[in-house]
Amino acid sequence: NRDWLGKYVGMSKLALRPKSTEEVSQVLAHCNRRKLAVVPQGGNTGLVGGSVPVHDEIVLSTSRMSQVVSIDALSGVMVCEAGCVLQTLDEQLSQEGLMMPLDLGAKGSCQIGGNVSTNAGGIRFLRYGSLHGSVVGLEVVLADGSVLDVMRTLRKDNTGYDLKQLFIGAEGTLGVVTKAAILCPPRPKACHVSFLACRSFGDVLDVFRRAKSDLGEILSAFEFLDKESLRIYLDKASKAKNPLPDFDGDFYLVIETSGSNSDHDYEKLEAFLGRCIDCGSVATGAVAQDGAQSKDFWRIREGVPEVLASFGAIYKYDLSIPLESMYTLVEEVRTKLKGEAHVVGYGHLGDGNLHLNVVSEQYSDRVLGMIEPYVYEWTSANSGSISAEHGLGQMKQEHIGYSKSPLAVSLMQGIKDAFDPNHILNPYKVLPTCHARGS
Amino acid sequence: LGQAEGRRRRAGMRVLVGVKRVIDYAAKIRVKPDGSGVDKANVKMSMNPFCEIAVEEAMRLKEKGIASEVVAVSMGAQASQETIRTALAMGADRGIHVQTDSELQPLAVAKLFQAIAAKEEPKMVILGKQAIDGDNNQTGQMLAALMRWPQGTFASRVDFPEEGRANVTREVDGGLETVSLSLPAVVTTDLRLNEPRYATLPNIMKAKKKPIEKVTPEDLGVDIAAQIETVKVVEPPQRKAGVVLESVDQLVDKLKTEAVI
């Protein structure tokens, strides 16, 4: 009933844990007849309250559907059930020399059905792209219980409208994903991680520009965190270590390269870093010399959201903003909230995705009022997206207007009505309530 | 040389550090189907963690002014140079690569170190207590015996109370033991000695320009013939899956019949 952040609590009295697509089909057919609302739930690690009931909707958990159906090492396509945990999938794939095309902090708990339904992004989006590209097939149970099989393991299939794309990112409101076929890339033979410090956001952008041209095809992640993020992380995380204790940077970068030849990659990386140091864009940095050090650097970036969740109150924003102005928003919010709360900015810089978080000891409506709708309006005015990867869920259900036109929203509502006329699938989420039918 | 630098150089000592290229501590390993050894193809290689600690300790000695020069030594195929470069990126001054494609066992390594020490005349040789591939824990001890030098093994702390002596606190079964060694001496590092620094950018750039001298076992006049033959390598038996029990009675029953109670 409660989400990962502890922010959204529902009042469901019933949770179902089907073991097969057939059982899911029977459940939904029954619920559709009796107009009972259902919340599909995977690992329950979503950050916008999309995976928990709002009232007493029935929770439909995919956790027991955790079989890997097949892995084809030659084509790289893996077919698995929706309840498979991301990290477990990655470990199994590594035995075939493959890897999952996405990676996020919640990997130990999140399930692939949920990842697909939220079109999850993560730290490797820069290199492997969106699930809209990596998902080559789906099996979905529709609201009336019928099983839609758009499951193929083919790379290319231009026969009619690509229905599976609708379900990717629909947050469980158009159907329940029960199986996915994912195109998995080869596991890189060489991986190098560096942790760098920069003096200004302008320098960060310069490093990114150079990374794209100098590291090009081997660049696999480009993440940033600001000084305040690192300060809070070092303060709150257990066994936290600052790789660059002698320098007080304003911004820190985690840059990862992945390739098929360690010597070539390291040579490229060294040359790139040398140029960045020479021109001053990078003040200092460290390069991981072994697997343990690589994990250390990633632990810092992935640990920031975790330590932030330990504060009494957290206001979380996931925004796509043009790179040049991205950090300006953080600075403006920080100025507005001076003395009231800590404001941090971090995220997938390479994808133009900022995670803006405001934390304090206690929740306050007044503080919320200072942040919203200011952040959404600012983002909208700069042609950004108010939800880069987290989705809309409950949290931003009424805010879609900041990033999509009324015509677009109206077409979405039409699609929702076509797929789920009784509105039993994950109600009170994603699309604004003015559209909801009684259920 | 300036006066102070000259005094420091005369006062400081040369430290030799051994660094071995091994399969990365975090990598998953597989035994070759023919049982002849571990499959090293396409597996990530890095510096042995205990050697990292050795380099770190040597760097701390240099920063304290006790050591004046840190020389990193690695032995093996061409790729061993990468491991020396890591040591140089951590701050070592120069490297020595003993080039050979043959298998090197601890006694051969000790003899090679002996030959190098004869030329370099270090006041201290710091080695990892063992390498995580062989887990032999022999090289340091053998080297000390060959050189007839004192040894402080499993070091969790090294102090220099006076000129020409070192106090080494060792991790032993009963706790901690401190021995006083006259220099030159061999020290092998244990896990708690220090936390190695990361290789940072300015040093990584400088490392490219630091010299690495290449020698062969023949140049050093050392016979490295293997004296031990590996007969078979097998994986440990697979752990059986756990069983979920229904009651305390069942647990007690299993403890009596299956576990040894």
Side-chain angles (χ1 to χ4, degrees):
Chain A
N1 262 315
R2 179 184 287 267
D3 81 323
W4 184 77
L5 286 169
K7 208 168 155 182
Y8 299 101
V9 187
M11 290 162 293
S12 174
K13 292 198 174 58
L14 176 63
L16 299 172
R17 304 178 69 220
K19 186 105 174 83
S20 68
T21 304
E22 181 51 37
E23 286 183 4
V24 175
S25 168
Q26 287 171 6
V27 166
L28 286 183
H30 178 92
C31 290
N32 192 41
R33 267 196 306 275
R34 295 182 53 196
K35 298 212 171 72
L36 299 173
V38 171
V39 174
Q41 187 181 91
N44 198 13
T45 58
L47 296 170
V48 288
S51 53
V52 291
V54 177
H55 302 297
D56 60 353
E57 302 90 277
I58 298 165
V59 173
L60 183 67
S61 167
T62 49
S63 298
R64 284 180 74 213
M65 300 170 61
S66 55
Q67 292 296 319
V68 173
V69 175
S70 68
I71 300 176
D72 180 341
L74 185 59
S75 67
V77 177
M78 172 198 64
V79 180
C80 62
E81 292 183 329
C84 294
V85 173
L86 183 60
Q87 188 167 336
T88 313
L89 287 174
D90 193 56
E91 282 164 5
Q92 244 185 302
L93 286 168
S94 86
Q95 288 168 18
E96 307 283 339
L98 300 169
M99 62 179 278
M100 285 301 280
L102 76 163
D103 191 1
L104 38 151
K107 61 185 141 213
S109 314
C110 64
Q111 295 170 15
I112 192 65
N115 289 148
V116 169
S117 297
T118 53
N119 190 24
I123 53 180
R124 298 251 153 62
F125 185 98
L126 180 77
R127 169 71 164 256
Y128 301 114
S130 151
L131 282 173
H132 282 292
S134 334
V135 171
V136 297
L138 284 181
E139 179 193 79
V140 182
V141 178
L142 299 176
D144 65 359
S146 35
V147 179
L148 175 65
D149 180 353
V150 276
M151 170 72 73
R152 289 283 184 280
T153 55
L154 308 168
R155 279 296 273 126
K156 302 165 86 169
D157 181 12
N158 277 355
T159 51
Y161 303 147
D162 194 2
L163 290 175
K164 66 179 187 295
Q165 297 298 344
L166 283 172
F167 301 102
I168 302 171
E171 304 182 49
T173 57
L174 296 180
V176 177
V177 172
T178 48
K179 283 201 188 74
I182 314 248
L183 179 64
C184 301
R187 198 165 206 94
K189 298 199 182 76
C191 187
H192 294 285
V193 183
S194 55
F195 189 85
L196 310 176
C198 297
R199 292 185 189 89
S200 73
F201 198 68
D203 285 345
V204 167
L205 294 182
D206 187 56
V207 175
F208 181 54
R209 218 169 282 125
R210 287 173 192 274
K212 281 204 292 188
S213 87
D214 294 357
L215 297 176
E217 68 284 2
I218 62 168
L219 185 62
S220 56
F222 197 103
E223 299 284 314
F224 92 103
L225 49 146
D226 64 6
K227 178 191 201 141
E228 186 70 354
S229 307
L230 184 65
R231 186 190 69 77
I232 294 180
Y233 173 77
L234 292 173
D235 188 36
K236 299 246 168 197
S238 59
K239 294 203 268 189
K241 202 166 94 154
N242 184 352
L244 305 169
D246 300 327
F247 184 80
D248 196 17
D250 275 358
F251 295 93
Y252 293 90
L253 300 175
V254 177
I255 299 181
E256 182 190 84
T257 65
S258 299
S260 52
N261 186 314
S262 186
D263 292 338
H264 288 179
D265 289 0
Y266 198 73
E267 215 182 290
K268 280 192 180 122
L269 181 63
E270 258 192 356
F272 155 73
L273 290 173
R275 278 193 280 276
C276 288
I277 285 262
D278 285 341
C279 74
S281 298
V282 170
T284 183
V287 177
Q289 298 296 314
D290 58 36
Q293 292 185 358
S294 300
K295 285 204 174 82
D296 284 347
F297 293 169
W298 273 118
R299 199 176 301 125
I300 299 174
R301 165 62 184 88
E302 290 182 321
V304 170
E306 268 183 52
V307 302
L308 291 174
S310 71
F311 277 83
I314 174 168
Y315 312 84
K316 206 177 242 299
Y317 301 93
D318 160 50
L319 313 158
S320 276
I321 297 178
L323 282 174
E324 289 74 25
S325 40
M326 186 186 279
Y327 202 70
T328 316
L329 176 59
V330 182
E331 285 166 341
E332 294 194 359
V333 174
R334 190 173 284 143
T335 310
K336 265 191 135 208
L337 293 174
K338 207 176 176 73
E340 304 266 7
H342 304 293
V343 176
V344 302
Y346 61 93
H348 315 294
L349 190 110
D351 311 324
N353 183 187
L354 169 71
H355 288 312
L356 167 67
N357 281 234
V358 179
V359 288
S360 63
E361 297 313 315
Q362 252 183 317
Y363 180 75
S364 147
D365 271 331
R366 195 172 54 85
V367 168
L368 181 64
M370 289 164 83
I371 310 172
E372 293 183 32
Y374 177 71
V375 165
Y376 295 138
E377 285 172 353
W378 194 101
T379 304
S380 186
N382 283 272
S383 308
S385 161
I386 56 148
S387 186
E389 58 178 3
H390 291 170
L392 297 172
Q394 285 184 50
M395 181 184 171
K396 302 178 208 174
Q397 188 207 1
E398 304 296 336
H399 298 319
I400 192 174
Y402 286 106
S403 295
K404 287 289 189 305
S405 70
L407 174 60
V409 177
S410 144
L411 284 170
M412 289 185 212
Q413 288 163 342
I415 294 172
K416 169 69 171 173
D417 290 338
F419 277 80
D420 180 20
N422 291 327
H423 283 219
I424 63 162
L425 292 175
N426 223 2
Y428 319 113
K429 314 246 176 78
V430 184
L431 295 178
T433 24
C434 57
H435 171 243
R437 302 256 182 94
S439 73
Chain B
L1 288 174
Q3 283 254 10
E5 179 66 27
R7 226 176 297 128
R8 206 178 71 88
R9 285 272 176 95
R10 279 190 293 278
M13 57 179 190
R14 178 173 296 143
V15 174
L16 230 58
V17 181
V19 294
K20 185 178 182 186
R21 184 171 182 264
V22 298
I23 292 180
D24 189 289
Y25 148 78
K28 276 213 170 72
I29 55 167
R30 258 180 283 204
V31 174
K32 283 195 252 196
D34 63 1
S36 60
V38 167
D39 185 9
K40 282 189 176 167
N42 293 325
V43 176
K44 188 177 167 88
M45 307 290 282
S46 325
M47 187 189 286
N48 181 40
F50 295 107
C51 299
E52 274 182 6
I53 295 173
V55 175
E56 174 62 26
E57 197 60 20
M59 289 315 305
R60 291 187 187 191
L61 295 186
K62 186 159 179 223
E63 281 156 6
K64 286 187 200 146
I66 298 169
S68 58
E69 193 190 29
V70 175
V71 183
V73 180
S74 193
M75 308 180 179
Q78 178 65 21
S80 299
Q81 299 224 349
E82 286 165 25
T83 313
I84 299 177
R85 289 259 169 248
T86 300
L88 296 175
M90 287 171 72
D93 298 292
R94 59 184 168 91
I96 299 175
H97 172 212
V98 179
Q99 158 95 34
T100 174
D101 290 323
S102 313
E103 184 203 354
L104 284 172
Q105 296 179 349
L107 184 55
V109 174
K111 288 185 196 165
L112 288 167
F113 265 108
Q114 180 188 25
I116 294 175
K119 283 191 342 176
E120 298 285 341
E121 295 184 326
K123 279 277 182 283
M124 184 173 275
V125 176
I126 312 182
L127 305 176
K129 71 173 180 183
Q130 65 202 57
I132 60 171
D133 51 6
D135 270 340
N136 291 302
N137 196 330
Q138 296 168 3
T139 308
Q141 292 87 335
M142 285 177 168
L143 174 62
L146 288 171
M147 304 286 295
R148 298 185 113 60
W149 282 6
Q151 56 184 274
T153 54
F154 309 100
S156 63
R157 199 187 152 98
V158 182
D159 293 306
F160 294 83
E162 59 189 83
E163 186 80 34
R165 291 202 76 82
N167 284 350
V168 176
T169 304
R170 310 175 57 226
E171 306 226 358
V172 297
D173 287 343
L176 296 173
E177 170 193 71
T178 305
V179 294
S180 169
L181 314 174
S182 65
L183 300 179
V186 172
V187 171
T188 72
T189 66
D190 209 327
L191 207 57
R192 269 166 282 270
L193 178 58
N194 62 48
E195 223 182 293
R197 65 195 57 191
Y198 294 108
T200 54
L201 276 183
N203 289 324
I204 293 174
M205 304 298 127
K206 283 190 218 151
K208 291 204 278 198
K209 305 193 184 85
K210 293 178 182 170
I212 300 181
E213 184 195 337
K214 229 165 139 161
V215 293
T216 63
E218 294 73 41
D219 295 335
L220 297 169
V222 174
D223 171 20
I224 58 166
Q227 316 216 314
I228 304 169
E229 181 200 334
T230 299
V231 173
K232 193 170 64 155
V233 178
V234 293
E235 281 190 24
Q238 289 274 19
R239 263 188 74 182
K240 280 201 304 208
V243 174
V244 177
L245 302 173
E246 303 289 309
S247 71
V248 174
D249 290 330
Q250 222 190 350
L251 173 62
V252 172
D253 181 61
K254 289 240 178 220
L255 285 171
K256 284 188 181 154
T257 57
E258 292 187 27
V260 181
I261 293 249

